[in-house]
Amino acid sequence: MKFTIVTHVPHIITNKSYYAYSAYVREMNIWAKHVDELIILAPVALEEASNIHLPYTHANITFKEIPSMAFTSFKSSFITLLNLPIIIYKIGFAFYKTDHIHLRCPGTIALLGCFLQILFPRKPKTVKYAGNWDPNAAQPFSYRLQKKILSNTSLTKNMKVLVYGNWSNQTKNIIPFFTASYSIKDVPIKAIKKIFIAPFRMMFVGTLSPGKQPLYALQIVESLNRAELPTTIDFFGEGDQRCTLESYIETKKLTSIVTLHGNTTFQDLEKAYKESQFVILPSISEGWPKVLAEAMFWGTIPIATSISCVPWMLGEGSRGILLSGTMEADIKMLEFLLYQSEQLHEMSMEGQRWSQDYTLDRFEERIKKLLL
């Protein structure tokens, strides 16, 4: 089977190997295990691979570079319009030659793929929609347009759309799905029993961007310390908010309670999950925040914004703490819950039971059925 991926994820070419963001490649390598030829259409990043990147492991890869697409400025829009004919040609030709079309949504390149796949109604297709599928979520027009095209079974035929969460009133091609980081052999023999008393250790994992709100996480920890609940936080990730965090830490003299680790390996994160009591993710938007499932796997309690499928992942509060996004209310809630050690222990145990059911083994079985 020729399996063609269309994605906006930048790829790095090094010594005839193809690298990209590790979480994405880790998943695509599972898909690739069940196909004969892997064809990738994606932009190329002019940088060196780092510890946040992984290579594809398939033996038969054809990489077709396509320019990135952006409409964030007049210049980027003009360049995108100039490149549009060649992008359309490359994607369309690849769709014509392939046996299976796979789109990674949402994204500008994926939007183009959503339109072009309409021309191939008989081709088997899958879509991984990694964003928020909540029909009521406020989202950019391009995201809403992709969702409309993908869920319109008159335009989109022979396609299975994998989405995070179980939403009502969906078309028959919309399939609730999940993602995974650990296999069944990684499940601890005995449940992890953490102690939930001060001093507390929290962690933040993700891009240091406005959408992830790392400063909000830091301000929560700062407020807890003012309330005489000793708490530290470790940040794992990089982004344009790092300078903002550094300035805030220096101004507020918070160096004793905050550590910025930058980008780290998967093994380093696993060690931090095991040593922390909480992971905090006050994002504005998410799809399936893998960090929450990874944390729960090791008994770490998520503290996250009530968006997308997060309330479902956290059992509506039975295996995690849901933030309102209002600082005063969130601090008041946390000041109360952090004294409830027995309740926190039960949250941790419930989170382990839930997350350890979503393994890579189960994930791969579901993928194999999709490719039949």
Side-chain angles (χ1 to χ4, degrees), residues 1-174:
M1 177 199 293
K2 288 184 178 181
F3 184 83
T4 296
I5 307 165
V6 174
T7 177
H8 66 280
V9 174
H11 284 56
I12 300 167
I13 305 174
T14 303
N15 298 325
K16 297 183 180 180
S17 293
Y18 304 97
Y19 290 76
Y21 180 59
S22 59
Y24 158 80
V25 174
R26 196 175 287 113
E27 177 184 327
M28 293 318 306
N29 278 336
I30 295 175
W31 289 83
K33 285 168 65 175
H34 306 285
V35 302
D36 302 308
E37 182 178 352
L38 191 64
I39 302 164
I40 306 166
L41 281 82
V44 169
L46 301 177
E47 59 182 280
E48 293 185 0
S50 69
N51 57 9
I52 65 167
H53 300 105
L54 282 177
Y56 291 85
T57 55
H58 201 277
N60 188 9
I61 298 176
T62 300
F63 185 86
K64 298 180 183 295
E65 179 183 356
I66 54 176
S68 58
M69 296 175 61
F71 295 93
T72 54
S73 67
F74 176 80
K75 182 180 178 181
S76 65
S77 300
F78 181 71
I79 294 172
T80 294
L81 291 174
L82 286 180
N83 289 328
L84 204 54
I86 191 166
I87 298 172
I88 291 173
Y89 172 77
K90 284 190 172 184
I91 294 177
F93 187 74
F95 283 1
Y96 175 72
K97 287 289 188 179
T98 197
D99 298 315
H100 187 107
I101 296 168
H102 183 73
L103 301 180
R104 305 296 296 192
C105 293
T108 49
I109 291 174
L111 175 59
L112 198 55
C114 287
F115 281 112
L116 290 173
Q117 62 82 23
I118 297 172
L119 303 176
F120 301 89
R122 292 186 178 86
K123 295 269 184 180
K125 312 178 194 80
T126 48
V127 170
K128 178 66 176 294
Y129 193 91
N132 183 359
W133 191 261
D134 184 352
N136 300 315
Q139 295 180 321
F141 172 74
S142 63
Y143 286 25
R144 288 184 280 119
L145 182 57
Q146 285 171 72
K147 289 162 75 171
K148 284 186 178 294
I149 295 171
L150 295 175
S151 58
N152 186 325
T153 53
S154 297
L155 293 175
T156 299
K157 298 182 182 298
N158 207 16
M159 176 181 280
K160 297 168 183 174
V161 184
L162 314 179
V163 306
Y164 296 137
N166 197 343
W167 309 98
S168 59
N169 302 317
Q170 299 297 304
T171 50
K172 61 182 180 181
N173 66 331
I174 307 302

Side-chain angles (χ1 to χ4, degrees), residues 4 36 64 66 101 103 150 152 155 169 191 204 217 231 244 257 269 283-284 288 307 310 341 361:
T4 296
D36 302 308
K64 298 180 183 295
I66 54 176
I101 296 168
L103 301 180
L150 295 175
N152 186 325
L155 293 175
N169 302 317
F204 173 102
T231 307
T244 302
I257 64 170
L269 282 180
S283 298
I284 295 171
W288 172 289
I307 52 170
V310 171
S341 58
D361 312 82

